[in-house]
Structure formats: C-alpha cells, structure tokens
Amino acid sequence: MGTSSGSNINHQHMSKMLPPRQQQQQQPGSLQTSLSLISLDPHTSPNAQEPRFNLDNIHESPSESASSRETWPTADAITAKKMVNGKTENDCTEQSVIRRVSNADKITLRDIARERVDVISEKMHHLPDEFLDELKNQLKTILEGNGGSQNREEFLILQKLVQSRSDLTAKTLIRAYRAQLEILVAINMGIQAFLHPNISLSQTSLIEVFVYKRCRNIACQSQLPADDCSCEICANRNGFCNLCMCVICNKFDFEVNTCRWIGCDFCSHWTHTDCAIRDGQICMGPSAKSGTGPTEMLFHCRACNRTSELLGWVKDVFQHCVPAWDREALMRELDFVSRIFRGSDDPRGKKLFLKCEDLLEKLRGGLAESMAGRSILMFFQGTEWANYLSCKLSMKVL
Ligand SMILES: [Zn+2]
Ligand SMILES: [Zn+2]
Ligand SMILES: [Zn+2]
Ligand SMILES: [Zn+2]
C-alpha cells in the first residue's frame, strides 16, 4: 500500500493510508458518528455483502443501505411514523393538510419512477410539502427493507422503471422538482441518504450523481472520474469512484484506520482486503520494487495491473492505529494480517502470520489487548524488521 515506505511517507501518510476519503469530507457530525457505528458490524464485511437491492452490481450494497439508514435521526423517524400513521387523533394539522389533496392530484412513487419529468414536476408543484415528505418516507421504508421481500420487490420494480428510461438526462432533470429529483436519485442509487432532510446536495450535484458524473457516496461526492483518472475501470465503470470504492466490488464503506482496505502504491486505487484475497489478488511474487530478488507477499492491483508490497504497509497501519483500536478492532486487524500472509513462503511473511495467529489465540484466552498491541509493535520493531525496512526505504528513496 501507498504508505509503506519512501520519502513521501510523512507527507502523504495519513491520507493515503486511511482509505476512503470519507473522513476528511464527512458530513454533519451525526452522520459521522452513526456511520462509524455501522463499521463495527461484522456483517458489513465484503464477504457478507450480498447485494440486496442490486440489479446489476453497480448499485449499492447492504452496508451502504445500512449506513444510510443509520443517518436518520430519531426525531426524523418519529416524524416518519407520524406521517405514515397520519391518522392518529392528535395529529390534526398534518392530517388535514394531507386530506386536502384530492385523489386525482395524488402521485405515487411508481408515477415518479415512470412518468415524464415535467409532468410529475408540475403535479408536485401543487402538492403540499407534507405529502411529498410522506412519499419520501415511503421510499425510505422500502429502502430500509424491513418489510422483507415485499420491499425488495417494490424497490426492484421502481429501479427497473427508472433505469429503463432514456429520457432521464442531465438536460431533462434540470426541470425536476426538488423532491422528485431526490426520489429519482435514491431509487437509481438504492441509497436512502439522498432523502435525508439534513443532507441537502445542490440540484446540480443530485443530477450529476444520477448521471454518474459525481460519486454517490455522500461523504465523498467527488467529480467522476475522480482525479481525472483515465484507467480502464474509471473510464468504463458507471459511477465508480477511485477515491472511496473498491476496484473489485464497487462498494464503499466507512471503515478507516484499518487493514480492511489496500491502496495501490502506483495508482492509489483502493481494494477491500477481503475482495483481494477472495479473487486471488494477493499472492507471492518477486519484490514489487525491484522486480527481482526474493519473493514476498504482494498485492496485485486490478486497476493498473502493478504490484505493491504488503509487509511495510501492514507495519505502518499497526504503528499508527494500534493505540486507537479496542480489543475487537485489534483482533479483527490481526485476523486480516493473518489471512493476508497465510500463504507466505518467505521467512518474514511466515513469521508475521505465526505471530498474528499466536496473538489471536492468546487474546481469545484472555490476554489484555494492551499487551497484545505492544507485542505486535515490538515484533514489527524487531531487528530483522528494522534492517529489512531500512533496506526497502533506501531503495524507494533512490
Ligand atoms: Zn482509475
Ligand atoms: Zn467517492
Ligand atoms: Zn470490495
Ligand atoms: Zn494500481
């Protein structure tokens, strides 16, 4: 990974090592907090991410759904409930507003998904905000998927309607009503955060997200292709963002300070460690820097087809992040490293693998995480490592 060694280590270290740029561009505090809570959920590991609402794998993952779900504040959920139940006695104001909308004027999510932009926009113009909020809440409920297969089916119908249209372009969407646009983007991306009242992207940004000119990750929102990258993946994969998404699975998440993501030393694109292991992108090979000499465990980047070394990267991540990890995080990270280096043939990789396995076993047996953290850091600082790494450093500086 990009930060493993070299003269630029201090300068670029944190931003390159700590993946997806979400952290610098994180939206309001509540979002950050709740999103980082999600990252602790073991079910968000890429292996567990079976597309829930995907038609074509481009769209969002359950982890993204889950993350966006968590962005709804409690107060909002209460409002949502009120709107859905709208019939409660003590909620006269809202009810009377909704009642004033005649059946002929009412529109549904399916109407929005299938009817012309200007037609719906015109209708929405005359509908009270409360009615539009209710529509958004309906879609939010569908995207949350708590209603099981019924929600899933309805979502797939809506998404198919939206994605089969050729009239939804940057040009026509300029005429969309704000709520209409939010709903269309949320359906197309399968991400409910676009409906969140506190996340107000400009009309232009929403349109750009819809037409894949802007990253759908609300915490990133980079113009696409990010960094004007012209690699095959950035050029051809709709909606792919090299700053926050995995080259293999296209998904993003909110994990930082972790070995969960590997960045390419050469093109800086990111890959989930799990995806790389699963797809055989991590294997033994001649040193990434010299291309000759003894073999070591390497990461093969699918975006640029070059290889990056892994030992120095893992060491960097641990040295910077061990103090911040709790017990669960430390065990998870040791497990990543163990799985990365499991197939090592070289002595250093083998030793690291065995060290991780040993510490994991001891942690399971009750060893304090502070002791385990110290032990792995001492391991990395060992003489053998120091020699090895200083050798690599000088190579890169040259
Ligand atoms: Zn690229
Ligand atoms: Zn992005
Ligand atoms: Zn992935
Ligand atoms: Zn690369």
Side-chain angles (χ1 to χ4, degrees):
M1 140 110 188
T3 61
S4 53
S5 54
S7 55
N8 61 352
I9 189 163
N10 293 325
H11 176 60
Q12 294 197 332
H13 196 99
M14 297 312 278
S15 64
K16 283 201 76 186
M17 183 176 67
L18 313 178
R21 293 208 180 163
Q22 289 101 346
Q23 59 165 9
Q24 293 102 321
Q25 298 178 23
Q26 198 57 268
Q27 294 290 314
S30 60
L31 178 60
Q32 163 120 41
T33 313
S34 47
L35 291 175
S36 49
L37 281 177
I38 277 296
S39 65
L40 298 174
D41 182 351
H43 299 297
T44 59
S45 90
N47 292 337
Q49 287 178 353
E50 278 313 309
R52 215 171 30 160
F53 288 133
N54 285 9
L55 284 181
D56 57 10
N57 285 334
I58 294 260
H59 300 285
E60 93 118 337
S61 69
S63 79
E64 289 165 18
S65 285
S67 306
S68 356
R69 177 162 67 240
E70 291 304 309
T71 64
W72 289 87
T74 318
D76 201 62
I78 293 165
T79 316
K81 231 177 222 163
K82 270 204 270 180
M83 298 307 291
V84 171
N85 294 335
K87 285 118 199 163
T88 46
E89 240 73 87
N90 54 6
D91 206 9
C92 309
T93 328
E94 278 167 9
Q95 203 184 0
S96 60
V97 171
I98 291 168
R99 267 197 196 136
R100 259 186 261 129
V101 179
S102 80
N103 277 342
D105 295 331
K106 276 184 180 165
I107 52 169
T108 64
L109 289 171
R110 288 201 192 184
D111 293 336
I112 297 171
R114 83 187 137 208
E115 285 184 26
R116 270 176 41 193
V117 173
D118 52 343
V119 172
I120 293 292
S121 175
E122 176 64 18
K123 284 187 178 175
M124 278 189 155
H125 205 73
H126 300 291
L127 287 164
D129 286 346
E130 290 79 2
F131 182 86
L132 301 181
D133 285 344
E134 194 193 353
L135 275 175
K136 290 205 270 180
N137 283 326
Q138 279 173 18
L139 179 57
K140 184 167 73 78
T141 307
I142 290 170
L143 286 168
E144 275 171 359
N146 294 334
S149 62
Q150 224 178 338
N151 284 342
R152 181 189 155 77
E153 275 162 32
E154 184 57 28
F155 172 76
L156 290 175
I157 290 167
L158 290 170
Q159 199 179 50
K160 201 166 188 176
L161 284 170
V162 168
Q163 293 182 349
S164 61
R165 292 171 63 171
S166 55
D167 67 315
L168 296 175
T169 62
K171 216 172 168 184
T172 57
L173 287 169
I174 288 176
R175 303 177 65 185
Y177 200 71
R178 171 81 197 191
Q180 179 186 12
L181 187 55
E182 287 170 354
I183 287 170
L184 286 170
V185 173
I187 291 174
N188 194 22
M189 301 298 146
I191 299 178
Q192 57 163 290
F194 293 107
L195 305 168
H196 197 293
N198 294 342
I199 296 175
S200 54
L201 272 68
S202 69
Q203 186 101 349
T204 310
S205 295
L206 283 169
I207 293 172
E208 286 171 349
V209 169
F210 189 94
V211 300
Y212 304 119
K213 294 275 181 237
R214 184 178 291 274
C215 177
R216 67 180 181 273
N217 174 358
I218 284 186
C220 174
Q221 287 187 46
S222 301
Q223 293 271 359
L224 300 179
D227 283 348
D228 292 323
C229 181
S230 57
C231 81
E232 209 176 309
I233 290 175
C234 289
N236 298 320
R237 207 181 274 176
N238 270 351
F240 176 78
C241 171
N242 65 51
L243 299 179
C244 72
M245 291 176 197
C246 170
V247 165
I248 293 180
C249 74
N250 283 325
K251 293 169 187 167
F252 63 87
D253 59 47
F254 300 92
E255 295 259 358
V256 292
N257 304 336
T258 175
C259 295
R260 174 181 165 86
W261 289 91
I262 303 173
C264 172
D265 281 344
F266 297 95
C267 72
S268 302
H269 290 20
W270 296 95
T271 304
H272 282 124
T273 302
D274 282 331
C275 291
I277 292 172
R278 189 189 58 229
D279 281 24
Q281 306 290 103
I282 291 179
C283 52
M284 295 296 292
S287 164
K289 303 295 180 301
S290 60
T292 56
T295 57
E296 62 178 319
M297 203 49 95
L298 300 173
F299 163 68
H300 179 257
C301 171
R302 199 175 273 183
C304 70
N305 280 321
R306 300 179 76 175
T307 51
S308 308
E309 59 91 40
L310 289 163
L311 276 168
W313 159 65
V314 165
K315 175 178 177 279
D316 275 350
V317 173
F318 270 71
Q319 286 193 329
H320 282 86
C321 305
V322 160
W325 288 335
D326 61 12
R327 187 177 186 83
E328 194 187 339
L330 179 62
M331 290 181 75
R332 188 187 57 211
E333 298 299 323
L334 285 169
D335 182 60
F336 273 125
V337 180
S338 161
R339 286 187 290 118
I340 289 169
F341 290 94
R342 179 157 289 155
S344 295
D345 284 341
D346 62 309
R348 291 180 204 91
K350 258 188 211 167
K351 261 190 195 169
L352 180 54
F353 164 69
L354 292 172
K355 181 72 186 170
C356 292
E357 286 294 300
D358 178 51
L359 283 175
L360 278 168
E361 203 180 308
K362 286 179 175 154
L363 280 162
R364 284 185 211 110
L367 177 71
E369 58 268 29
S370 56
M371 295 290 288
R374 207 172 308 148
S375 175
I376 188 79
L377 289 182
M378 278 169 66
F379 177 84
F380 282 130
Q381 283 157 7
T383 328
E384 190 187 354
W385 276 86
N387 289 340
Y388 169 69
L389 288 165
S390 67
C391 164
K392 284 191 88 83
L393 273 169
S394 56
M395 281 166 65
K396 189 153 184 179
V397 172
L398 287 172

